[in-house]
Amino acid sequence: MMEGQLQQLAASTLARIGEAATPEQLESVRVEVLGRKGTLAQISKDMGKIAAEERARVGKLLNAAKNELEGALDRRQSEFEQAALQARLDKEWIDVTLPAPGVRPGSLHPLTQIQQELEDLFISMGVAVLYGPEVETEYNNFDALNIPPDHPARDMQDTFWLSDGHCLRTHTSPVQVRGMARFGPPLLMIAPGRVFRNEEVDPSHEHTFYQLEGMMVDRNVSIANMLYFMKTLLRHIFKRDVTVRLRPGYFPFVEPGFELDIQCLICGGPGCPVCKQSGWVELLPCGLVHPNVLRMGGIDPDEWSGFAFGLGLTRLVMMRYAIDDIRHLQGGDLRFLRQF
Amino acid sequence: MKFSYNWIQELVSGLDIAPVELMKRITIKTAECEGVEAVGAHFAAAVPARVLTVEPIGGSHNVKAVVDAGPLGERTVVCGAPNCRPGLTTVYIPSGTELEGRRIERRVVSGVESDGMLASAAELGINKDHEGIVVLDGPLPKPDHVIEVDNKSLTHRPDLWGHHGMAREVAAITGLALRDPVDLGRILKGEPVFGVDIEDLRLCPRYSALVVEGVKVGPSPLWLQQRLTAIGLNPINNIVDITNFVMAELAQPMHAFDAAKLTGQTIFVRNAKPGERMAALNGESYDLTPAALVIADAGGPIALAGVIGGMESSIGAATTRIVFESANFHAASVRRTSTRLKLRTDASIRFEKSQDPENTVRGMARAVELLAMVAPGARVVGGLSDRRAGFTPPPPIELPLEWLVRKLGREIAGADVRRILEALQFGVEEARPGVFSVAVPSWRATKDVSIKDDLVEEIGRMEGYATIDPKPPLVPAAPATENPQLHFFRALRRLCAAQGYNEVYNYSFLSEADVERFGLKAEAHVKVANPISVEQGLLRRTLIPGIWKNVEQNSKHFEAFRLFEIGFEIHGKQAQLPEETPHLCAAIYSRAGDAQQFYEAKRLAECLMPGCELRPAEARSYEHPSRAAELLWRGETMGRVFEFHPRHIETGRAVVLDVDLHAMERLTPADRRYRPIRKYPESAFDLSILAARQALVGDIEKQLRQLAGERLESIVFQRQYEGEPLPEGVKSVSYRLTVAAPDHTLSNEEVTAVRDRLIQGMQQLGYELRV
């Protein structure tokens, strides 16, 4: 009798588990059948009433029914959990193509970028980076660089003179003077910075631009050494080997003085509009430091010699990014600056 | 400086390198050339022609002329020149020739077929005469090329301001022989007619004068005019043209005075007297000061030494007797006078380069020779008057070969050194084995070449720098000296860019209007004495006007943006260089602005200087009166944060952070130390304080911090609230406070004690607490 009752209960409970529509319904089935006061518990209590020889067999059946029902309940339970999780996840759909909020990084000025790049290159070569003031003494800007008053070379650099008798530095070369005074020989330094020339502004001329001065003072420094240094430098700047040539150039603070040309990177030599059909592009002035400059810097030219060069940072920036109007660089226009 | 190829060719025997190639070689070996230009190419096709017949053409001012064009035979042309008459010898340009950029074609003019043309001197590029067809006075001028050399690269080379100097270079470059156009034998001995009196031989190391009479002033022959025109000089008359020709050939400026217009028989070279005035050849009148050196006769100044001649004594049509001046003047003195009078002349440009005193008599000899060619009938009267300072040639330069090799960084044979220097007309002797004794020629000795380093250039450039192989220098393997500012600036830039700011570079210049707009006085600024324009009259002592301009301009294109600049404020100082203070100036702009920009700017300040604080400050004229603050860090003022006054910003709002980077760098901690991580748990509780609306949250926080004492780990602002149920004018400010001890876990009683202390303390300070 009990056996039949058990079978019927199992069958009807399995059906109810399958039919439960909510976790709550399922729970009520569990309480009703498997709970402490549930039907199975009741049957279990009634076990004492049946014959001892039957008890073991019915007990087994009872356990099997209990396990079967618990398994079914758990499976159904996890089906509900799975469905709930799925529903939550579905609800959490987002549009990944929406624009991200927040501030975007700004930018560094292209001149800053090229200056930092060159500073890093020189630092890696053991070169000290020195800065100097925008306003200089006439002595540092001219006299100490072997350009005495009334020297026609002063015309080469149209100068802004100031009401206090000083001038805006026309080149970064006065930092040579400061470097020699501060460190003495041997000396390996560069000086990037802002310089000024009293010139009308147009797409290719500025009264304010950027240079990078370099100077090396050591024993027995030769033109061959200078060439090596320049070639190394230019290879890093242009990320490729460049063919260079030296030709005479006059700068009172060097002797001999040179203009260093590089073979045109656009046409490679045969001539094009960029190099004005010459195959060469004038890039930087350089030379062996004039003994007078060393002497005025407190360095004995019989013992020490050196070379110096000047790179136009503004020019490099314009070459690198193909900028056709120099005025953009100090124009403060974000439409320009945001491109870098 | 323009050089005529033909002229150089006359001075360098056998020169046959094409002009373009010659230009390249000059660029590599001597001085930078800017280009080469063909001049008078039409002379290749032109022929001398005699006018045979001239017939009027009815109804036209033109005439029909038949000319005998020599090898081309007879040609018929229509000509409009008033001087076209039979018998005239002129220049015929055949059809198909390019002239002044157009092609001469056979065409019908006034009903007559015209084949080719008769040209004026102006059309031929000889002079500016357009009045009629040219009257040919000798052989036809030749086509030429003009090589233009960059003047800057001739700054140190007085000798290269004349063709003979450049010819010397060309001869050395090509290995050809140099011809000297000067025959000193042209100067005959004799008693001078005019005396020369030099007051200061330092300012005028040499003055040579010679008198010529029987002069008939008129145009120079066409070949001479064409030569001057080709290199950019204006033909004037035969006498003036001689002086210009000598200058262009020998770099020796000359002058000619009309002797009849001079007072007395002595030329004085002296400083001007106060109040003296001179009318110059350019039509201007100059007030002279004693700083100016003048040439004077007994009556007063007749020329500004080395700069320009006087009008009164100038050569005119009636001149018959002249005094030639060929002199040498002190470079700096000429330059000062020329700079002061803003008068740069062909003469002053040359003298300021330190011309060679030996050259004056050479110039005179060449002038006398030319006189015979271009002013027939003129004759020299008396001998040369020649005053000069005592002159000792500089001692020879010792040039050790071994030293030279070290400088060049390559081997060079003694024979090559000698060859090169001798080609440039240096005197070379081998003083001792391996040491040359080099005598510098007078035209290189005035300034250009004085030490052995100068000779390195001569040998290096002529041998060719391309022959030097790069060699790595021997340098100590040592790290470079650190530049702390470099790292400091870089970190700032990186941070600003990461926070969305775009870097701008503004000029160091401001205008008076710029500074006045920002409440500053122009007088407080270092002024530019020679500005290009009023826009650049002052040096900036703040970056704010520049940043303001950036904001104004960019607000036309963008709804919102951030930008920054790192630049130098320039503060003038008495009797020393100005102080240049680096500043960071950053701005945030928003067209739909609210108070948020202000706190964004403050956030940047906190990123840069953790723990910095803002205090309300009295607003400056350009600052929003309720939104201006002083920025403090580690007890010192670092700068300001403010919103621009609405008067200064048309639409939207812009907030500026301005930081003194000197001060900031000084206070930036150099190194940090580790603090052990706390072992025992912390406890947190919240407090809400009721305060008047304008009570400063910063003050409340400071008071809480003080009251909390050493157990306080952190105090974090949660929110502030105004409105129901709080009364009007009252706000509630909430903080979360965290307390802990380094050596044990705080008990409930300990935490409560801190909390009670805070509550009581705040109540004593007059605050209510919302519990």
Side-chain angles (χ1 to χ4, degrees), chain B residues 276-573:
Chain B
E276 274 185 329
R277 197 176 160 78
M278 193 194 80
L281 276 172
N282 60 358
E284 300 284 325
S285 242
Y286 295 98
D287 287 316
L288 306 175
T289 68
L293 191 69
V294 297
I295 313 300
D297 63 6
I302 54 174
L304 273 169
V307 182
I308 197 166
M311 187 62 103
E312 272 179 48
S313 58
S314 64
I315 306 299
T319 302
T320 59
R321 195 161 184 263
I322 62 171
V323 180
F324 270 134
E325 164 195 296
S326 184
N328 187 272
F329 301 107
H330 186 251
S333 157
V334 170
R335 191 179 147 78
R336 274 195 295 270
T337 302
S338 135
T339 305
R340 189 168 335 101
L341 300 178
K342 296 192 170 60
L343 182 58
R344 307 260 291 147
T345 61
D346 290 318
S348 76
I349 287 170
R350 285 172 173 79
F351 280 123
E352 69 171 31
K353 309 295 189 292
S354 298
Q355 286 297 332
D356 174 15
E358 295 303 303
N359 212 14
T360 64
V361 178
R362 287 171 51 77
M364 195 66 91
R366 184 66 168 141
V368 170
E369 183 176 353
L370 289 165
L371 200 60
M373 295 161 76
V374 310
R379 55 191 180 278
V380 173
V381 193
L384 181 74
S385 188
D386 186 24
R387 293 281 148 161
R388 68 177 302 177
F391 175 69
T392 336
I397 299 170
E398 287 232 325
L399 178 67
L401 191 58
E402 171 268 337
W403 179 89
L404 173 67
V405 166
R406 259 190 292 145
K407 282 280 169 183
L408 291 173
R410 61 153 271 189
E411 294 297 324
I412 186 162
D416 289 327
V417 173
R418 178 186 285 274
R419 173 180 52 77
I420 288 167
L421 290 175
E422 284 179 349
L424 291 166
Q425 300 186 321
F426 285 80
V428 183
E429 277 182 45
E430 195 156 3
R432 314 188 282 284
V435 179
F436 289 109
S437 171
V438 181
V440 182
S442 61
W443 56 88
R444 302 293 302 277
T446 49
K447 196 164 216 167
D448 179 17
V449 179
S450 58
I451 53 176
K452 57 185 189 289
D453 302 76
D454 297 324
L455 298 175
V456 176
E457 170 152 51
E458 300 303 302
I459 295 152
R461 69 190 175 95
M462 282 299 169
E463 187 68 7
Y465 294 123
T467 64
I468 299 175
D469 291 326
K471 269 193 214 72
L474 275 175
V475 292
T481 312
E482 284 272 329
N483 179 343
Q485 201 174 51
L486 179 152
H487 299 291
F488 179 61
F489 283 177
R490 278 195 190 190
L492 294 175
R493 287 193 160 98
R494 213 162 32 229
L495 197 136
C496 290
Q499 296 295 330
Y501 294 78
N502 294 103
E503 186 180 22
V504 299
Y505 278 29
N506 285 314
Y507 292 124
S508 303
F509 303 103
L510 292 175
S511 69
E512 294 200 5
D514 289 334
V515 304
E516 277 159 16
R517 186 179 295 120
F518 289 88
L520 297 171
K521 291 204 158 54
E523 307 83 70
H525 293 74
V526 179
K527 283 200 170 98
V528 179
N530 57 337
I532 301 175
S533 73
V534 290
E535 293 300 307
Q536 287 137 12
L538 308 174
L539 294 189
R540 59 177 175 180
R541 44 185 304 147
T542 163
L543 271 54
I544 293 167
I547 288 289
W548 173 78
K549 236 176 245 180
N550 299 144
V551 169
E552 273 291 285
Q553 283 164 3
N554 284 297
S555 68
K556 297 187 175 81
H557 307 291
F558 297 98
E559 299 255 326
F561 53 84
R562 304 172 175 206
L563 45 81
F564 79 102
E565 179 182 15
I566 289 180
F568 290 87
E569 291 187 355
I570 296 172
H571 300 271
K573 289 233 163 185

Side-chain angles (χ1 to χ4, degrees), chain A residues 29-236:
Chain A
V29 173
R30 194 188 63 77
V31 171
E32 204 176 305
V33 179
L34 289 162
R36 258 189 304 146
K37 292 176 182 168
T39 323
L40 274 181
Q42 196 56 51
I43 293 173
S44 178
K45 247 186 234 170
D46 294 345
M47 284 281 282
K49 297 177 188 162
I50 61 171
E53 63 274 21
E54 282 285 295
R55 205 174 294 157
R57 199 176 56 83
V58 175
K60 251 185 205 163
L61 285 174
L62 183 71
N63 267 341
K66 190 178 174 193
N67 285 341
E68 189 186 2
L69 292 179
E70 272 175 352
L73 273 167
D74 285 351
R75 278 192 302 279
R76 186 74 182 130
Q77 179 69 33
S78 80
E79 274 173 35
F80 278 127
E81 281 168 9
Q82 195 56 43
L85 179 63
Q86 193 55 51
R88 189 188 117 203
L89 295 178
D90 288 348
K91 217 173 122 191
E92 285 174 357
W93 178 86
I94 56 166
D95 182 353
V96 296
T97 66
L98 274 180
V103 173
R104 294 297 175 277
S107 59
L108 296 183
H109 195 281
L111 278 163
T112 295
Q113 294 186 35
I114 209 139
Q115 180 178 326
Q116 293 187 352
E117 181 184 322
L118 290 178
E119 284 173 350
D120 288 343
L121 167 63
F122 282 105
I123 290 169
S124 78
M125 294 166 84
V127 183
V129 180
L130 307 184
Y131 297 149
E134 294 178 6
V135 178
E136 262 296 2
T137 59
E138 181 178 357
Y139 179 82
N140 279 350
N141 196 72
F142 291 116
D143 302 49
L145 293 165
N146 206 27
I147 315 174
D150 298 311
H151 192 289
R154 289 202 172 190
D155 283 351
M156 293 161 74
Q157 306 181 350
D158 294 322
T159 309
F160 283 113
W161 293 99
L162 304 178
S163 52
D164 65 1
H166 298 120
C167 62
L168 288 169
R169 63 174 172 183
T170 56
H171 44 189
T172 39
S173 309
V175 190
Q176 284 185 15
V177 182
R178 293 171 175 271
M180 286 189 287
R182 193 171 143 203
F183 297 107
L187 178 63
L188 195 48
M189 57 157 275
I190 58 156
R194 174 179 277 206
V195 301
F196 307 84
R197 298 275 170 92
N198 195 332
E199 274 191 26
E200 295 284 347
V201 175
D202 67 29
S204 47
H205 294 91
E206 249 291 2
H207 53 63
T208 300
F209 54 100
Y210 285 76
Q211 279 188 346
L212 185 148
E213 185 82 4
M215 185 190 216
M216 175 181 176
V217 178
D218 214 309
R219 295 181 197 276
N220 297 324
V221 176
S222 67
I223 298 172
N225 295 152
M226 186 193 79
L227 261 176
Y228 177 89
F229 203 87
M230 294 297 108
K231 283 199 79 153
T232 308
L233 167 67
L234 296 174
R235 186 163 58 239
H236 280 87

